[in-house]
Amino acid sequence: MLTGGKSSRMGEDKALLPFRGGVLAGHVAATVAAAAGSAVLIGNPQKYGHLGYLVVPDRRPGAGPAGGIESALSYTIADWNLLVACDMPGISAKFLRGLLDAAERLQADALVPAGPSGRLEPLSAVYHRRCLETLRSALEAGVRKVTDALAGLEVARWAVDDRACFENLNTPEEWASYHGR
């Protein structure tokens, strides 16, 4: 799970926002663990170590989500890796398990959902660790957008009708609106 963002639009660390008796990152990590059997956080071990999950440092701080994904793939020993941003409170274990199961049956390098708009959602996707070298090369070339960094890989799309799976919270207004439902 990616926790290393700057949260500049939120004005405070999104991962540590209070949520359902804990913090948002803890909720999302528990959801990932329920789907995948375990969760590892990519970010600052001193900030997130108290959440009860293994936390490994981002190898490329400031490189955005593509850097976080590259970090996760450089640490993993698993072939398939479920990568999720920490600011997606509506994500479910059922959705993530289905995504992981579908990826394991494919010959692709990654399985990236596409929401109702058709836009790829690379921060709730499954990546094979063979993506590592391509991501690393893209980052070294200055590419920061995840979908651009995946150029040259076999990326399968998975159509998803429920946009709530991808709703992320970036601003205090979005956070307030989410809690007001």
Side-chain angles (χ1 to χ4, degrees):
M1 187 179 74
L2 307 177
T3 61
K6 294 179 184 175
S7 300
S8 56
R9 290 180 282 169
M10 184 64 75
E12 62 183 297
D13 190 344
K14 293 186 286 187
L16 299 177
L17 289 170
F19 190 74
R20 297 187 181 167
V23 296
L24 185 56
H27 167 75
V28 177
T31 304
V32 169
S38 66
V40 175
L41 281 59
I42 305 297
N44 183 334
Q46 293 174 332
K47 283 176 75 173
Y48 307 114
H50 70 281
L51 297 177
Y53 297 92
L54 174 63
V55 183
V56 294
D58 191 338
R59 295 168 50 95
R60 295 181 189 258
I69 295 168
E70 186 262 348
S71 292
L73 295 177
S74 67
Y75 288 117
T76 189
I77 59 169
D79 285 336
W80 286 103
N81 297 272
L82 180 60
L83 291 164
V84 178
C86 70
D87 63 349
M88 303 175 90
I91 204 129
S92 72
K94 180 180 177 185
F95 166 76
L96 294 176
R97 183 74 234 162
L99 184 64
L100 190 56
D101 288 346
E104 291 172 344
R105 292 189 303 268
L106 294 175
Q107 297 300 314
D109 298 311
L111 178 60
V112 181
S117 70
R119 189 181 77 134
L120 290 176
E121 300 289 348
L123 299 185
S124 61
V126 183
Y127 298 87
H128 196 281
R129 72 177 168 177
R130 67 179 161 258
C131 296
L132 176 60
E133 291 308 317
T134 298
L135 280 166
R136 186 171 285 153
S137 295
L139 287 162
E140 288 169 2
V143 176
R144 296 293 180 258
K145 186 175 178 185
V146 176
T147 52
D148 292 346
L150 297 175
L153 293 171
E154 180 68 33
V155 177
R157 297 171 68 99
W158 197 42
V160 177
D161 293 330
D162 183 5
R163 77 172 204 82
C165 295
F166 311 114
E167 185 174 19
N168 63 341
L169 306 172
N170 290 309
T171 67
E173 295 77 21
E174 290 171 350
W175 180 246
S177 175
Y178 185 84
H179 277 294
R181 290 184 205 161

